[in-house]
Amino acid sequence: MGETEHTDLYRVLGATSGDSVQHIKHKYQQLALQYHPDRFRGDTPEEADAALKKFLEIDAAWRILKDQASRRQYDLKLRAQELTQDWPVDRTVGLEDMSWDEDNGAFAHSCRCGGAFSMSEEEMKMAHEEEEEEAAEGGGAGRDGGLL
């Protein structure tokens, strides 16, 4: 189960954690029919291998999510991961989402939890410089105006 620990099983099946078992089963059946090795006809062996991998991933997700006990355990593990991660759970906040706080001399954004995220001009400059360095090292352009 090593790979499934890092894969969102709901996303694999095109479902959400709030979906009923019947809904998830329907999604599973649709995807299983689409990627089943006996039905999938790829143009190349690579396509067939990719479809087989996808089918095995779909089947592994269904095996966990179809059973109430294993699904509950998986949901608890997901929740624990969300609570310990270092980035926002809900979404990424960009500069366009923030407003200028004149009093503090920083851009600010209120969180739905009641807290706030702020970034001073100095922090913005440092983030921008780091982004430019990463782009120069990687040879590509930095994130499109994103600071976070």
Side-chain angles (χ1 to χ4, degrees):
M1 192 169 120
E3 194 172 321
T4 58
E5 290 177 15
H6 303 291
T7 303
D8 183 344
L9 301 181
Y10 292 105
R11 184 171 287 152
V12 168
L13 296 177
T16 67
S17 60
D19 290 341
S20 68
V21 174
Q22 291 80 15
H23 182 75
I24 294 172
K25 181 179 182 179
H26 178 71
K27 294 282 195 172
Y28 161 73
Q29 290 171 333
Q30 287 179 321
L31 291 169
L33 285 173
Q34 181 179 351
Y35 290 100
H36 194 280
D38 291 342
R39 296 193 72 186
F40 184 83
R41 302 284 183 239
D43 292 332
T44 66
E46 291 81 18
E47 286 180 354
D49 287 344
L52 176 61
K53 278 183 155 179
K54 181 73 174 171
F55 175 77
L56 293 173
E57 184 180 36
I58 291 163
D59 190 58
W62 173 241
R63 287 175 189 251
I64 292 171
L65 298 179
K66 72 179 179 179
D67 178 68
Q68 186 177 2
S70 63
R71 182 178 177 180
R72 185 177 305 123
Q73 184 179 10
Y74 175 74
D75 288 345
L76 289 172
K77 189 187 313 182
L78 266 186
R79 182 69 177 139
Q81 287 173 348
E82 288 175 354
L83 293 173
T84 59
Q85 67 187 10
D86 293 334
W87 59 87
V89 173
D90 185 40
R91 64 189 179 106
T92 301
V93 177
L95 188 58
E96 64 277 358
D97 300 316
M98 303 174 86
S99 57
W100 178 251
D101 182 354
E102 192 78 37
D103 297 334
N104 295 321
F107 286 93
H109 179 74
S110 297
C111 298
R112 65 184 175 150
C113 65
F117 177 81
S118 65
M119 186 173 221
S120 68
E121 284 187 273
E122 182 66 28
E123 290 171 319
M124 282 183 41
K125 288 177 187 174
M126 288 174 41
H128 185 68
E129 289 170 2
E130 288 176 13
E131 197 172 85
E132 286 179 340
E133 288 175 15
E134 288 175 12
E137 289 173 4
R143 291 176 292 195
D144 185 29
L147 298 172
L148 306 172

